[in-house]
Structures are given as C-alpha cells and as structure tokens.
Amino acid sequence: MEHDLDEGRVRWRRFAVLTVPAVAVTAGLGIALAQGALAASFAVSGQQFKVSAKSLTGEGFAQYGSVDVNAREELIPVAVTAIKEAELNSLCQSVVTSLPVIGDISLNLTAGQKTPVKATDLFVDATQLSGNATFTNIEIGRDASTLDKGPADAQGMQDMFAQQADTVSITDLRQTAWATNAGTFKLSGLSMKINKGKKECF
C-alpha cells in the first residue's frame, strides 16, 4: 500500500511538470534566446531548403535541440547539427519559391563534384536528416549545456538532451533545414541555377 502511494506521488510530480503553462515555456525560450543560448543568430525566412551530399565527414560533432526565430518573432523548433571541421562531396542545395502568375521557381546550388566542399564551425538548423552514419566515441544523452566536442558555441539549454562524438561520417546525406551558419565555407566548382518549376535535390 505504501509502495503504491509513493508511486502515485512520483506520477503526480511528473504530471505537474508536464502541465507547466505554455506561457512560462515561451518566456523561458525568450530569455534563452536573448542570452544567445538558442540557435537563431538571424531571422530565418519562411522557407525551408533541402541539402544533400554523397558523403560528409567531420571532426568535432555535436547535436542538440534548439529554436530558430523568423521575422514575425515566431519560434521554430530545430535540431542543430554542429561540426568543427567538415568535408562534403557532391553537395546540392535547393529551395522552391511559389510566385503569383509565374508559379514555382527553383534555385539550385551544386559544388564539390571533384574537390570536396570544406567548412569550419558549421551549424545546420534542421527539421529532418537521413543517411548512413558512423560515429567515433559518441556520447548520447549528454546535457546540452555541457557539450565540448563541437564548435565553441555548440551548446544548448541546460537539462536538454544532446549527443556528441569525436568524428562523424554520413553517406547519402539528406536534410531539410531552416538555416546554415559557418565560420568558413569553401565551395569548389560552385554552380547556381534558377529553374522554372520544381527541381529539388531530393
């Protein structure tokens, strides 16, 4: 009987935590954003873009949840992937814009077909990522505020789930993102084209 009562108390505490008013959560996110603890370093557009690569290799990998902000000051949840040094082969980036009368217009960027694209302090704020991944010395479930293997600024909010690894290798990379930041971004064999209609990386 006593055991059941204790278990009930634990469940009630969990219930109380899950029913924190949304306004308090929003206020907390606003404070974290003001302190630079969240992903947004600029107002993101209203359009996500797609990125694919034949392969990505990186040193100093970190991944954690965060929030971007658009020009209307709306909060957008994202998964931040941060890598100290990255190389990508056969990079493709695409975004489709629908315009009145004209219809769909696609902007396509490709690079790294012969010489890999190189980036330092790379941050990608994504909503979807897929591929075949291999990590070395990975830590899963680490507190996001204590990450130390990725770029210097690659840390999330305290108590939030995160993971990090010494190295990462991903083949057949596909991701949908709101934003990308990098300290340096060297795109060899860069080509950018505008096409009428939908022409996406995947």
Side-chain angles (χ1 to χ4, degrees):
M1 187 72 174
E2 187 174 339
H3 175 73
D4 292 339
L5 180 60
D6 289 342
E7 188 177 28
R9 283 176 180 167
V10 171
R11 287 177 180 171
W12 173 253
R13 288 193 195 103
R14 287 178 182 169
F15 176 78
V17 169
L18 292 173
T19 54
V20 172
V23 65
V25 175
T26 304
L29 290 173
I31 292 169
L33 183 62
Q35 294 174 344
L38 298 186
S41 59
F42 55 83
V44 300
S45 74
Q47 295 175 280
Q48 294 190 74
F49 55 92
K50 292 185 176 181
V51 177
S52 67
K54 186 175 181 180
S55 65
L56 176 152
T57 57
E59 294 186 5
F61 167 88
Q63 192 173 59
Y64 52 96
S66 193
V67 177
D68 280 347
V69 180
N70 62 22
R72 296 185 180 85
E73 298 186 353
E74 296 169 332
L75 303 177
I76 302 168
V78 295
V80 177
T81 297
I83 304 174
K84 273 187 181 179
E85 295 184 10
E87 288 192 358
L88 300 97
N89 288 289
S90 300
L91 174 70
C92 173
Q93 179 178 305
S94 65
V95 61
V96 178
T97 302
S98 295
L99 300 174
V101 182
I102 297 175
D104 292 333
I105 299 294
S106 299
L107 185 151
N108 294 82
L109 180 151
T110 58
Q113 303 298 325
K114 294 181 180 179
T115 303
V117 170
K118 295 184 178 182
T120 61
D121 295 336
L122 177 66
F123 289 79
V124 180
D125 303 350
T127 56
Q128 175 272 332
L129 184 151
S130 65
N132 305 303
T134 302
F135 303 91
T136 59
N137 297 323
I138 190 168
E139 300 172 353
I140 301 172
R142 183 164 176 146
D143 188 299
S145 68
T146 69
L147 294 171
D148 58 9
K149 291 189 176 184
D153 296 331
Q155 290 185 335
M157 295 176 65
Q158 186 175 342
D159 297 329
M160 288 189 68
F161 174 92
Q163 56 187 3
Q164 64 176 6
D166 288 343
T167 66
V168 58
S169 175
I170 304 175
T171 58
D172 298 324
L173 171 69
R174 293 185 175 187
Q175 61 184 357
T176 306
W178 285 104
T180 297
N181 295 325
T184 61
F185 207 24
K186 298 180 180 179
L187 296 96
S188 59
L190 172 65
S191 174
M192 187 179 74
K193 295 181 180 179
I194 301 292
N195 299 284
K196 191 170 181 180
K198 281 190 176 182
K199 186 177 180 182
E200 299 182 279
C201 297
F202 60 90

